[in-house]
Amino acid sequence: MNIMLLLVLISMNFLMAFIGRIVANPHKNIILETTLPKDKLNDSQVTQVRQSYKKTLLIVAVVFSLMDLLLLLISYDSIAILFLLLSLFGMIGVNYYTQVLYIRKMTAVKMKNNWILPTKPLLVDTKLILNKNRKMLKAYWFLPSILISLSGIIYTIFSVKPIGGMLLFGSISLLTAGLFIFSYYLVSRLPVKALTSDEQTNQQVNDAMRYYWSLLLVSSTFVFSPLSFLPTLSLTMAYGKMMYLVIGYFTLLFIYIGFIFFLMFRLRKTQDQLILQASDYRYGDDDQYWRYGLYINPEDPRIMVPDRLGMNMSVNLGRPAGKISMVVLSIVVIATTFIASVPLLINDFSSDPFRMELTANEVSLSAPFSKTREIPIQSIESVVLVDTLPENSLRVYGAATEHYLTGEFRVDDEPAYLLVYQKETPIMKITTKEYTYYYTNKDPEKTQKEYELLLKKLD
């Protein structure tokens, strides 16, 4: 597990360095969030700041990658996950600080040389306003994804009893579709801006932005819609077929990530080519509203605006809705970090995190932040101790690390619930008509005693 996490960290380090370098390349006369005159884009002072910035990003990526080697020395899963999160947040923070530092340097170059930008009156292109969304994919392109998500929920309702957490993935799929559709609505509402005196060029630049963004949002909804099917299929399909399905879906996700970068680079390149062909590009100096990559303009009614990189959308933090969205995002990040790390910390350092309790009528299995499973005594068909788990096991949802397995699994093509420390034996196997339960206490002697007590209860 630690080796996999290390590879993820190193990949993210250099991916962030690569993406961060893009802001140092000219786009609409903007380099490092600083608007420059067209004839100064290749000035030696500008080039020096650009090259220094790109070099610094690579140095940061190398330093963090070397520090991440410490991950191989960590033996606890919870500490490894915390290390991963802290390293990622640290890399993001240092990259952002580096960008801020070089934005200041580029602004200093501009002010030192008094590079005053030419001012031109605002041009209103009424034809462009009327035809701004002509190249956007129509909203009905979202229907197939919504139908797939709803079909997965219906399939789950009729295929799995009890439903339990299976509907969670269907709900996530629908919620994700809703977020993408809302983003589509915001993109369609974005006002237009005449960048040149040529109507055709203005229309083409606008069409490219709206087409690529609508294509990205529609395809994203489609990619996440199968999530509503996967958990239920893992319980109803044979192990081998399900493995092929999971591998195929994760392959699709990797292709999708590459597709995102392809679309955004294509959009940026298309817009730059169109603008370079224009004889009178009407760029404006709105640097005062872009403060270190953040757009803050209380006078702008827009909630979302195209960023200056030409590859993303930014939130207007000058509006109340923009501030609220930033607060919500921060809460989600903190909650996700808490959910990902706290249960693992309890599993690693608690003396008795997995518990089995016996009453007159039932056996209950519980784990931190997990729903307690109650098994009626009369439904138990057999109880045995085994030394190993079957090889054919597939996680549906829960945790699967080198040290423990918790949650819903598919074992030997049968639904199963696991609370198992992988390095501890024996493992208690409780079989019912509908489910198989695997359980170990952190103390093997307790597992043995609990097994003997359950046998007496069954007798």
Side-chain angles (χ1 to χ4, degrees):
M1 175 181 174
N2 287 20
I3 294 177
M4 181 184 69
L5 294 180
L6 177 62
L7 293 175
V8 169
L9 281 176
I10 293 176
S11 300
M12 290 300 297
N13 291 340
F14 284 95
L15 179 62
M16 284 189 279
F18 173 73
I19 295 175
R21 289 161 60 94
I22 298 175
V23 301
N25 297 326
H27 177 66
K28 296 182 179 179
N29 292 73
I30 299 169
I31 300 177
L32 282 167
E33 300 293 348
T34 306
T35 307
L36 301 172
K38 188 174 182 178
D39 59 339
K40 303 300 181 182
L41 295 178
N42 294 318
D43 186 89
S44 59
Q45 300 173 77
V46 174
T47 302
Q48 182 180 2
V49 175
R50 289 176 55 197
Q51 292 177 346
S52 177
Y53 172 68
K54 293 181 177 181
K55 182 179 179 181
T56 302
L57 286 182
L58 286 178
I59 293 174
V60 170
V62 171
V63 170
F64 266 84
S65 297
L66 292 175
M67 291 173 54
D68 291 338
L69 293 175
L70 294 173
L71 189 61
L72 298 176
L73 304 177
I74 299 174
S75 58
Y76 292 103
D77 294 321
S78 56
I79 303 300
I81 294 296
L82 281 174
F83 185 95
L84 171 75
L85 295 173
L86 291 175
S87 179
L88 283 176
F89 291 149
M91 181 67 180
I92 293 172
V94 172
N95 272 1
Y96 181 67
Y97 173 77
T98 303
Q99 181 177 334
V100 169
L101 184 64
Y102 278 88
I103 288 174
R104 290 176 176 172
K105 290 184 178 182
M106 188 63 74
T107 303
V109 170
K110 176 181 177 180
M111 300 303 293
K112 175 184 175 182
N113 293 278
N114 196 27
W115 286 339
I116 304 300
L117 299 173
T119 58
K120 295 182 179 181
L122 181 65
L123 180 65
V124 178
D125 191 334
T126 55
K127 186 177 180 180
L128 177 61
I129 295 173
L130 293 174
N131 297 315
K132 68 177 184 177
N133 291 328
R134 71 175 190 177
K135 290 297 183 178
M136 283 191 73
L137 297 181
K138 301 301 181 183
Y140 57 72
W141 281 94
F142 287 101
L143 284 176
S145 303
I146 295 174
L147 291 175
I148 291 173
S149 297
L150 290 174
S151 299
I153 292 175
I154 295 172
Y155 177 72
T156 298
I157 293 173
F158 286 98
S159 301
V160 180
K161 302 294 181 182
I163 298 174
M166 295 298 171
L167 285 180
L168 174 64
F169 288 83
S171 302
I172 292 174
S173 179
L174 278 179
L175 178 62
T176 303
L179 291 174
F180 285 130
I181 293 172
F182 180 66
S183 299
Y184 172 91
Y185 168 77
L186 293 178
V187 171
S188 70
R189 298 278 294 176
L190 287 174
V192 296
K193 183 178 181 180
L195 300 176
T196 73
S197 300
D198 183 67
E199 291 183 354
Q200 184 178 1
T201 301
N202 294 337
Q203 188 70 60
Q204 289 175 330
V205 172
N206 174 78
D207 288 347
M209 185 275 288
R210 295 177 193 265
Y211 170 74
Y212 281 110
W213 268 99
S214 61
L215 177 60
L216 174 61
L217 294 170
V218 168
S219 58
S220 298
T221 309
F222 180 79
V223 166
F224 287 102
S225 60
L227 279 175
S228 61
F229 275 98
L230 287 181
T232 305
L233 288 176
S234 67
L235 297 178
T236 57
M237 289 181 64
Y239 173 82
K241 293 181 179 179
M242 187 60 199
M243 284 300 297
Y244 284 119
L245 183 62
V246 170
I247 292 172
Y249 184 69
F250 276 97
T251 302
L252 175 64
L253 288 179
F254 280 113
I255 295 174
Y256 162 72
I257 294 172
F259 180 67
I260 291 176
F261 284 105
F262 169 77
L263 280 185
M264 295 298 97
F265 276 112
R266 186 70 178 270
L267 171 59
R268 177 185 167 101
K269 183 178 179 181
T270 300
Q271 289 183 324
D272 286 343
Q273 288 175 341
L274 290 169
I275 290 172
L276 285 174
Q277 295 172 6
S279 59
D280 63 334
Y281 172 54
R282 310 172 70 89
Y283 57 91
D285 190 352
D286 58 351
D287 292 353
Q288 69 271 23
Y289 300 124
W290 288 92
R291 302 174 189 174
Y292 309 123
L294 303 175
Y295 185 71
I296 306 174
N297 186 359
E299 304 302 323
D300 191 338
R302 295 177 295 175
I303 299 174
M304 294 180 63
V305 296
D307 72 354
R308 311 182 95 190
L309 188 60
M311 298 175 60
N312 204 349
M313 291 286 174
S314 293
V315 176
N316 183 4
L317 294 181
R319 306 294 298 176
K323 295 175 183 176
I324 292 173
S325 64
M326 185 62 68
V327 171
V328 171
L329 177 61
S330 301
I331 293 173
V332 169
V333 170
I334 294 173
T336 302
T337 304
F338 178 84
I339 293 172
S341 59
V342 172
L344 297 178
L345 284 167
I346 295 175
N347 289 341
D348 279 335
F349 297 103
S350 174
S351 60
D352 199 14
F354 297 167
R355 295 188 178 185
M356 173 177 167
E357 295 183 2
L358 292 172
T359 65
N361 300 316
E362 65 183 18
V363 179
S364 63
L365 301 177
S366 61
F369 297 90
S370 178
K371 179 182 177 181
T372 299
R373 300 303 173 107
E374 298 172 344
I375 312 167
I377 293 291
Q378 65 270 20
S379 69
I380 297 176
E381 297 179 349
S382 66
V383 179
V384 296
L385 292 178
V386 296
D387 292 328
T388 58
L389 288 171
E391 292 185 0
N392 293 338
S393 60
L394 175 69
R395 179 183 57 166
V396 179
Y397 65 86
T401 72
E402 294 179 0
H403 299 93
Y404 41 79
L405 306 170
T406 64
E408 297 285 345
F409 283 72
R410 184 84 174 173
V411 178
D412 280 343
D413 291 336
E414 297 291 339
Y417 180 74
L418 275 64
L419 290 180
V420 172
Y421 282 94
Q422 298 213 69
K423 296 182 179 180
E424 301 295 344
T425 55
I427 303 170
M428 190 187 308
K429 178 182 178 183
I430 304 174
T431 304
T432 66
K433 184 177 180 180
E434 296 182 348
Y435 251 73
T436 303
Y437 301 85
Y438 293 88
Y439 163 81
T440 62
N441 194 285
K442 210 168 187 179
D443 183 353
E445 293 184 0
K446 286 188 177 181
T447 304
Q448 181 71 39
K449 291 179 181 179
E450 289 166 341
Y451 167 71
E452 294 172 356
L453 288 174
L454 181 53
L455 281 181
K456 290 180 181 180
K457 195 64 90 168
L458 292 173
D459 291 338

